[in-house]
Structure formats: structure tokens, C-alpha cells
Amino acid sequence: MEDKIIRFLTEIRPEFDFTNSSDFIENGMLDSFDIVQLVVSLDNEFGISIDGVDILPGNFSNVQNIVELLIKNGVTK
Amino acid sequence: MNLKFSNKRITGILTVVPENEIKFEDEIDNYNFSRGQSMKLKLIMGYNKRRVVKDGTTVSDLCIYGMNYLFKKNLLNKEDIDALILVTQSPDYFMPPTSHVIQGKLDLKEDMVCMDINQGCSGYVIGLNQAFLLLEQEEINKVVLLNAEILSQKVSKRDRNNNPQIGDGSAITIVEKDPSSKPIYGSVKVDGKGADVLIIPAGGFKMPSSPETAILNEDKSGNFRALDHLAMKGDDVFNFVQREIPPMIEHLLDKANSNKEEVDYFMFHQPNKFMLKKLADKMEVPYEKMPNNIVENFGNSSGVTIPAVISYNLGQRLLKESFLVCMAGYGVGLNWASLLLHMEKLTFCEILEYK
């Protein structure tokens, strides 16, 4: 799951190394429109619809938070 | 707050769109992003083409054009109009009220109620609520509700977050007394603590426009806008809509002793494709019951999108058929409002091009 997340993040913002940051938002690596793109990629990949109320920057600040968000929305590890 | 109205119904809707159409690709080089990145967003958000006014066209122009069309086609008589409501956030002037300008230019009777309401994305539902309230008066039998916006004039052309989605237009809705109509249920809420979430900071009395307020500044995401331009905290607006609208609709349907399955169409405000799709998912409403095609064809024209989505998707069918429709508007204020009503046998329901 982590590898797929990193792959999607890198597709959206290829200029950044997402394996080497603990806060994508704080470090200016993702903005709200990047998050929208990521949500669509994750929805399609895992066959889910991430709950709209969970689409908050804090839930996308690092890979672990994104994994937890996916699990909350029904993806099994 | 719960609302309930009886003996009233919508009898006609005319949506007026400017003839001037702009394609997303025409403006893509204005934005401080790669073409590939912007094209991905185009698909997700529904950015495609939008209708905007040419410089000099005002909301009164759009409304008067539509009203004259209705008079000419004998779909509306001047003498029958007992009240005129204009809902807009882009009035011709601070003073006088633009509704009064329209009343004068159309040479409507003096013996009537005429008012402006400052509301945005929930403006269609708020305007209908006001129309229903006015119809409680013995001498008011027919209300003309005008929704109109030309907010494209207040958005930075270099703001990819806002510019590609903004459209202009107006809508004319006729609301009348009808003793045989079924009850209408409504709900309205407001949270003024979120007033800065969607705002044009300069241009009012708080911060008059000046050369300084016209200076473009770059935000964290690479968009350029000035204090004279519309600014939106997109994350906050998105989250507010996803958090507040589903429970409001559940509550509305409960109050009406109805349910989602009974509703034929959810005609919701059209902010962008992604937001509405997520709302449908959360509410577990099939996409075909929540049309989501106004941003991609006309742009988001604030309070005009609900009549636009009705005119565009149901149009002629509403002249003959009957539908249970749930409407919801949400946005600037923050304000959110919904209605559940039967729509049937409209005299007209169409889209007119302003020329």
C-alpha cells in the first residue's frame, strides 16, 4: 500500500522525494488541488470513495496518515 | 431552522447565459502550473467551458433581457408581478438596489414589493424562501425571483483555483399561489464565523479599492490574485459542504416524512464536479439522480446553478411531468439551505442565450 501511495504522490509532484519527508503539507509538497488528484487516484486504485469529511490536509501529511485514512475508508492492508 | 410552506409552487424557470464562451485550454497558459497538471485537474474538477459576460454587461442587463423575452413570448404579464426579488453579490451599484433599476427599466407597476438580497451559492433556495413568505400576503399572488451573477469580473485570470470554474448568468423563476399544490419543506442554516472563507476582501466600505488592493500577490500554491479579487479557502469550503449538507438533507427528508428513494432529483448547487461527486457518494445518492454537468458546460454561476441544472437537465420534461425535487445551496456566508418540493407543469423551463 505504501509503495502505491508513494507512486501516486510522485506522479502528481515528480519534483519531490516523498520518501524523505515527514510532513508533505508543512514542507509545501502538496496543496489542496494535489490532494484532490491523490484522492481520485486512491479511490480508483482501491475501489473506494474516501469520505469527503476526511479530505483534510492533516490526513495527507505523510504516508502513514494516508495509510490510516485508507484503512478507515475500508481498504485492508 | 425548519420551514414549511403551503399553497405555493414554481410555475416557470428561465436561465439566461451570456453568449461569450471561454474554453479551459484558452486560458491554461495564464496559470503558473504545467499544462499536464492543469489538464488532470480539468478532468477531475469538470473545468471545460464557461459562459462569461463581456465587459460592460451587468446583472440588470441579463435580467432585463430574460424578462423582455418572457413578456414578448406572452409567458409573463407585467401587470401580474406583485413582487420582484433580486439575489446577487454582483449588483450594478452599492445604491440604489439593482432590483429597483430593473423595475424601472422594465416599467413595472409601482404597487409592488421590490428588494435585493445579498446571497451567493445558497441564493436560489434563500430567494425561493423569501418568495414563499411574500406569497403569504393577500395581495401578492405572483413573485418574480431573479438570481444573477457576473462574478467572473471579480476573479483573477491568473487564479487557477477559482478562474476556470466561474461562470456568469441569471435565472428568472416565477413563484405563485396554488391551492392545490403539495407542502414544501425547507431548512436553512448560517455560520457567520466562516465569513472569511469565501470573500472579496476589498471594494466595500471596510477596505475600499485602491491601487494597492489591485496588486497581484502569489499564494502558496502559485496562484496570483489581488485583494480586489474573490478568494476562497477551498479546503474549508469543501469540508464544510461534506460535513453539513448530508445531515441537513437527512433531517429535511425526515421532517417531510420522505426518504432519498422517493426523491426523483437532487438539484444541488454546482461548485465543481469533484465536490458534488463526493457529496453524492457520501449521501449514497446515484449520480443519475444528482445531475453534475453545469460547471463543465456553463461554469459555476453561484446562485444561478440550481435553476441552470434544472433547466439544462429537465427542461421540457417539466412542462408535462411531475418530479419530487430536493434542492440544496451552500457557500459564502457561510450559508446552507435546502428545499423539498414537487415540481410539475411549468409554463416554461428553458435556457436562453444573452446576445
Side-chain angles (χ1 to χ4, degrees), chain B residues 333-352:
Chain B
L334 297 167
N335 193 287
W336 58 114
S338 56
L339 282 171
L340 182 71
L341 71 170
H342 289 267
M343 295 186 73
E344 59 184 337
K345 293 176 192 158
L346 270 59
T347 312
F348 56 91
C349 186
E350 58 190 278
I351 293 180
L352 176 69

Side-chain angles (χ1 to χ4, degrees), chain A residues 47-63:
Chain A
I48 56 169
S49 176
I50 294 172
D51 193 324
V53 296
D54 290 333
I55 304 176
L56 294 164
N59 289 334
F60 297 87
S61 58
N62 57 51
V63 172

Side-chain angles (χ1 to χ4, degrees), chain A residues 11-13 15 31-37 39-40 43 48-57, chain B residues 33 37 40-41 44-45 47 160-162 220-221 234-235 238-239 242-243 274 277-278 281-282 287:
Chain A
E11 279 173 12
I12 294 165
R13 298 300 292 264
E15 67 271 37
D31 67 16
S32 57
F33 277 54
D34 297 327
I35 290 172
V36 165
Q37 285 186 58
V39 166
V40 171
D43 280 357
I48 56 169
S49 176
I50 294 172
D51 193 324
V53 296
D54 290 333
I55 304 176
L56 294 164
Chain B
F33 302 90
Q37 222 182 1
K40 274 186 202 165
L41 270 186
I44 294 169
M45 306 300 275
Y47 300 157
R160 192 197 56 182
N161 288 13
N162 292 307
K220 280 194 298 185
S221 303
D235 297 343
F238 180 87
N239 205 259
Q242 303 295 323
R243 187 180 67 243
F274 178 75
K277 193 166 172 283
K278 278 291 173 193
D281 287 345
K282 183 155 181 67
Y287 295 149

Side-chain angles (χ1 to χ4, degrees), chain B residues 100-114:
Chain B
H100 292 51
V101 173
I102 294 168
Q103 186 265 358
K105 287 191 175 174
L106 290 174
D107 198 24
L108 302 181
K109 65 188 183 190
E110 291 182 358
D111 195 19
M112 68 182 302
V113 174
C114 195

Side-chain angles (χ1 to χ4, degrees), chain B residues 210-280:
Chain B
S210 67
E212 287 73 34
T213 64
I215 296 169
L216 290 174
N217 295 298
E218 185 176 2
D219 71 7
K220 280 194 298 185
S221 303
N223 297 291
F224 287 84
R225 70 178 75 86
L227 290 168
D228 288 333
H229 289 134
L230 183 149
M232 176 169 60
K233 294 178 183 170
D235 297 343
D236 291 351
V237 174
F238 180 87
N239 205 259
F240 144 69
V241 171
Q242 303 295 323
R243 187 180 67 243
E244 299 295 350
I245 302 307
M248 170 181 261
I249 301 303
E250 291 283 348
H251 181 73
L252 176 73
L253 293 170
D254 280 351
K255 278 280 171 192
N257 287 320
S258 187
N259 56 58
K260 281 182 282 194
E261 289 68 35
E262 286 181 349
V263 176
D264 295 305
Y265 288 101
F266 293 83
M267 294 302 196
F268 280 16
H269 170 52
Q270 312 265 306
N272 63 60
K273 217 172 179 67
F274 178 75
M275 192 189 289
L276 208 52
K277 193 166 172 283
K278 278 291 173 193
L279 202 50

